[in-house]
Amino acid sequence: MNYKIAVIPGDGIGPEIVKEAKKVLIEIGEKFGHSFDFTEVLLGGASIDVHGVPLTDEAITTARNNDAVLMGSIGGNTATSPWYKLPPEKRPEAGLLKLRKSLNLFANLRPAVLYNELKGACPLKDEIIGDGFDMMIMRELTGGLYFGERKTVEEDGVMTAYDSLTYNENEIRRIAKRGFDIAMKRGKKVTSVDKANVLDSSRLWRKVVDEVAKEYPEVSYEHMLVDNCAMQLVKDPKQFDVILTENMFGDILSDEASMVTGSIGMLASASLNDTKFGLYEPSHGSAPDIAGMDVANPIATILSAAMMLRYSFDLDKEADLIEAAVKEVLKAGYRTGDILSEGKTKVGTKEMGTLIVDMIKKG
Ligand code: NAD
Ligand code: IPM
Ligand code: MN
């Protein structure tokens, strides 16, 4: 089969890590007789530099006309990059948010898995880690604070800024259903995370998720307040199967969950709509502090490519092989700097990609 993939290298470490994920996909294609056509699309700072805007209409059309999108990461150093002197709607992140909204990518899946091989890179104590953990953070991606009305006004010499957090029941229902569907294929447990002790949007969230939960009697279901959840993620991460939450909470909790898996460089992500189409990107950012140094961990992007094979193309065997190859390379003791622990062999971005490709060849 032939699959059309729009590729967004992005900014910072983006082009370096996407290159490794492409290497892996090409190897999978050769091994299983698939062909992948890659079409490059500009987003973020790379697009600002060429077109003056972070996302053009043509870029959205190209993304839409492909079967899926593989993305690195976008943005620069928010304190020093000239991109952040532009008005907010012209900055790199605005392009990413517009792309997510335009393609209706409301369901963001971020799997946080502690591989056995990476126990040494996990900052938690052995008795907390136990046999490791495997959770799915299901983050709503096209609503909430990210897309609510915002403005900054000055009155009597005093500046005031507003950001509004809005959800309607339909937006909550569709992400909740997706969360319970995923739970049915996993550990059959959903933890719905909100701040219902303070926010109206969270109280509506709870009411709607309660209704959806009734349709899934097999799934054990609980509510957790977001501040407690942040604490529980380091106290006892094993308790979680699916964490279902709104946009901003999911953004913050997924970075936290990534660190207990050893590094943000391990956390893949899939952003899905109601079709087979999806955008696949690591959960981390463009890491301007290490860009161009061949030290970034490409595994989150490679695992995101595996999610693409699984969710958009139904190529489960191929996705399984990528995941197994990643584990084997870790088992053999190879590590990028972010997941390095005593006695392991340090490798760079390219070498890590090549090791995974070679392992796929053998597998
Ligand atoms: P970041 O995730 O880019 O980096 C945080 C820290 O983690 C840095 O020390 C970085 O070196 C490290 N890190 C991140 N990815 C790594 C990897 N693959 N291997 C090894 N180390 C890694 O977050 P930040 O510094 O807060 O943001 C930098 C820029 O990225 C900002 O412009 C932000 O808006 C953007 N960003 C983009 C995305 C995205 O494209 N989806 C996601 C998050 C942040
Ligand atoms: C992420 C990022 C984005 C977000 C930024 C770059 C807009 O942090 O994908 O987690 O907050 O969603
Ligand atoms: Mn984030």
Side-chain angles (χ1 to χ4, degrees):
M1 269 282 275
N2 177 263
Y3 300 93
K4 293 192 298 171
I5 303 174
V7 177
I8 301 175
D11 308 316
I13 60 170
E16 296 169 62
I17 52 181
V18 160
K19 203 167 164 193
E20 300 315 306
K22 274 175 73 180
K23 256 162 62 176
V24 165
L25 285 174
I26 290 166
E27 181 55 38
I28 288 287
E30 278 176 18
K31 198 170 173 96
F32 290 88
H34 308 301
S35 62
F36 298 108
D37 287 344
F38 299 108
T39 305
E40 246 185 54
V41 175
L42 293 180
L43 173 68
S47 173
I48 296 172
D49 291 346
V50 176
H51 301 294
V53 289
L55 180 71
T56 61
D57 290 343
E58 293 74 42
I60 300 174
T61 307
T62 309
R64 196 177 271 130
N65 288 340
N66 278 269
D67 300 318
V69 181
L70 175 68
M71 185 186 141
S73 39
I74 53 94
N77 182 318
T78 52
T80 57
S81 162
W83 295 327
Y84 297 91
K85 298 228 165 22
L86 296 166
E89 67 282 4
K90 293 223 163 132
R91 294 180 192 170
E93 291 76 5
L96 176 58
L97 298 186
K98 188 173 173 188
L99 187 63
R100 287 175 179 167
K101 193 74 170 177
S102 308
L103 301 173
N104 196 27
L105 303 170
F106 65 89
N108 184 213
L109 278 62
R110 297 188 162 184
V113 183
L114 177 62
Y115 290 125
N116 248 331
E117 296 73 18
L118 279 191
K119 282 184 176 170
C122 173
L124 303 179
K125 290 187 201 134
D126 286 348
E127 57 263 37
I128 295 177
I129 298 172
D131 299 332
F133 49 82
D134 176 345
M135 69 185 103
M136 178 68 86
I137 299 187
M138 187 68 158
R139 169 188 178 196
E140 200 290 328
L141 201 61
T142 51
L145 270 175
Y146 282 69
F147 295 94
E149 223 175 282
R150 68 180 100 255
K151 63 180 174 186
T152 305
V153 294
E154 189 177 341
E155 239 173 286
D156 303 328
V158 179
M159 303 277 283
T160 305
Y162 300 81
D163 295 279
S164 50
L165 201 181
T166 314
Y167 271 108
N168 70 43
E169 58 179 298
N170 300 327
E171 291 170 317
I172 301 170
R173 193 166 291 112
R174 65 181 180 177
I175 188 73
K177 283 193 167 161
R178 198 56 83 83
F180 278 87
D181 285 340
I182 295 268
M184 284 296 288
K185 295 189 190 143
R186 298 174 40 98
K188 298 195 176 162
K189 179 175 178 192
V190 169
T191 305
S192 174
V193 174
D194 62 35
K195 188 75 186 172
N197 52 348
V198 177
L199 303 175
D200 260 8
S201 54
S202 281
R203 287 186 274 266
L204 181 62
W205 179 276
R206 245 181 217 215
K207 180 173 176 287
V208 176
V209 181
D210 279 347
E211 286 164 17
V212 171
K214 290 201 184 95
E215 296 164 31
Y216 297 83
E218 276 181 61
V219 175
S220 83
Y221 164 56
E222 63 179 358
H223 297 288
M224 194 177 281
L225 296 172
V226 63
D227 42 356
N228 183 27
C229 182
M231 184 274 278
Q232 295 290 340
L233 273 171
V234 289
K235 180 173 181 246
D236 180 19
K238 288 193 300 298
Q239 69 183 287
F240 296 110
D241 177 27
V242 173
I243 291 183
L244 171 65
T245 193
E246 64 92 52
N247 204 343
M248 175 74 113
F249 297 159
D251 179 42
I252 297 167
L253 294 176
S254 59
D255 264 35
E256 187 188 357
S258 77
M259 195 55 223
V260 297
T261 70
S263 166
I264 183 108
M266 295 298 298
L267 203 80
S269 154
S271 304
L272 308 175
N273 58 24
D274 277 325
T275 71
K276 293 301 277 184
F277 182 87
L279 184 150
Y280 300 85
E281 55 170 327
S283 300
H284 60 72
S286 59
D289 52 331
I290 55 167
M293 295 162 67
D294 191 41
V295 299
N297 186 348
I299 293 180
T301 319
I302 289 169
L303 293 176
S304 301
M307 290 183 90
M308 170 189 291
L309 300 182
R310 201 181 291 292
Y311 289 98
S312 284
F313 305 157
D314 290 322
L315 298 176
D316 287 325
K317 257 194 327 284
E318 291 81 342
D320 288 346
L321 183 57
I322 296 177
E323 288 166 7
V326 167
K327 278 187 201 158
E328 283 303 317
V329 168
L330 295 174
K331 202 185 257 171
Y334 297 104
R335 303 281 189 276
T336 44
D338 57 313
I339 47 175
L340 192 63
S341 56
E342 227 184 294
K344 305 297 177 197
T345 311
K346 189 172 177 182
V347 297
T349 311
K350 286 194 205 112
E351 196 177 349
M352 180 55 92
T354 303
L355 284 162
I356 294 168
V357 167
D358 289 346
M359 200 57 86
I360 290 171
K361 263 193 200 132
K362 279 197 227 156

